[in-house]
């Protein structure tokens, strides 16, 4: 018997993508990240970022506004929820801003993660069945996916607090232990 050597087919190497999902993002995440020039973390983690026009209006002035505006022209998509009546209703009933209600409804309609650092917004969103991540949760997930190093995670956390993000000391310590 003569055996023939079969040449294996060349294997195409597929670049592993760390980008996971689409997210709806609130101004309470956009502003702190833009203040420390780390807005691009959102682009590195998520395949697509959505904000509402109400959020875009909120972030159109102040520190970091030019970076956010540039991102809106290039990679952040502005989309409004279809159900504007529900936005008004939730805003009134839950006593939250229309911009907050708009991101909740958009995340619910799209069935996407809502990224926020606003306690009231997150509590209302969770009561509506919307999956929510805190900014610190996002930071830890970036670390877990190796988008950032441990040293970078600590530095970003420090810069966020230094730039004015409120973070309870116990939470700060717990996050540092997890990093």
């Amino acid at each position: 018997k003569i055996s023939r050597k079969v040449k294996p087919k060349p294997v195409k190497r597929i670049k592993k993508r760390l980008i996971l999902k689409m997210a709806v993002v609130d101004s309470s995440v956009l502003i702190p990240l833009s203040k420390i020039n780390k807005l691009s973390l959102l682009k590195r983690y998520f395949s697509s970022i959505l904000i509402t026009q109400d959020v875009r209006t909120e972030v159109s002035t102040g520190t970091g506004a030019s970076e956010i505006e540039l991102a809106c022209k290039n990679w952040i998509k502005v989309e409004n929820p279809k159900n504007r009546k529900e936005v008004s209703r939730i805003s009134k009933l839950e006593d939250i801003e229309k911009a907050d209600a708009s991101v909740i409804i958009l995340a619910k309609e799209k069935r996407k993660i809502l990224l926020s650092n606003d306690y009231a917004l997150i509590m209302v969103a969770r009561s509506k069945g919307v999956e929510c991540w805190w900014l610190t949760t996002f930071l830890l997930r970036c670390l877990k996916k190796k988008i950032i190093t441990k040293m970078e995670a600590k530095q970003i956390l420090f810069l966020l607090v230094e730039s004015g993000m409120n973070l309870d000391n116990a939470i700060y310590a717990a996050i540092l232990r997890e990093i």
Side-chain angles (χ1 to χ4, degrees):
K1 289 183 175 178
I2 302 173
S3 64
R4 290 191 271 173
K5 290 184 179 177
V6 179
K7 287 185 180 178
K9 291 182 179 178
V11 177
K12 288 183 181 178
R13 301 224 181 248
I14 299 172
K15 199 174 189 179
K16 187 178 177 184
R17 288 182 59 161
L18 296 174
I19 296 173
L20 296 177
K21 307 174 181 183
M22 177 189 292
V24 177
V25 181
D26 180 45
S27 62
S28 62
V29 168
L30 294 172
I31 293 168
L33 286 177
S34 67
K35 279 183 178 180
I36 64 166
N37 295 314
K38 293 295 180 185
L39 198 58
S40 64
L41 270 181
L42 294 169
K43 183 167 73 170
R44 290 171 56 199
Y45 190 92
F46 294 105
S47 60
S48 184
I49 300 295
L50 290 175
I51 65 171
T52 63
Q53 186 58 50
D54 292 332
V55 168
R56 187 174 187 177
T57 301
E58 275 186 346
V59 299
S60 64
T61 59
T63 308
S66 60
E67 185 182 1
I68 296 168
E69 187 57 35
L70 184 61
C72 286
K73 289 178 181 173
N74 293 311
W75 54 272
I76 293 177
K77 297 175 187 169
V78 179
E79 188 173 326
N80 288 316
K82 291 181 174 98
N83 193 344
R84 295 300 292 172
K85 286 182 182 177
E86 185 68 2
V87 170
S88 296
R89 190 181 80 75
I90 286 178
S91 176
K92 286 178 186 173
L93 286 175
E94 301 289 349
D95 195 28
I96 59 174
E97 296 293 323
K98 280 196 174 185
D100 294 345
S102 72
V103 291
I104 292 170
I105 298 304
L106 184 61
K108 187 173 181 174
E109 287 176 357
K110 296 282 185 184
R111 296 180 186 186
K112 299 300 175 195
I113 293 166
L114 175 56
L115 191 53
S116 179
N117 212 43
D118 180 322
Y119 180 81
L121 185 154
I122 287 178
M123 292 304 109
V124 173
R126 286 183 175 162
S127 75
K128 307 290 180 205
V130 176
E131 182 182 354
C132 300
W133 291 2
W134 292 96
L135 178 52
T136 50
T137 304
F138 170 67
L139 187 61
L140 291 172
R141 288 181 186 243
C142 285
L143 176 62
K144 186 177 179 183
K145 293 290 179 188
K146 299 185 186 213
I147 292 172
I148 55 174
T149 64
K150 287 182 178 188
M151 184 60 90
E152 287 173 315
K154 287 178 184 177
Q155 180 72 17
I156 291 167
L157 186 62
F158 175 76
L159 289 171
L160 286 168
V161 171
E162 189 179 55
S163 70
M165 185 178 93
N166 292 324
L167 191 59
D168 184 85
N169 289 340
I171 303 236
Y172 187 77
I175 293 167
L176 284 177
R177 275 194 301 278
E178 196 164 331
I179 292 173

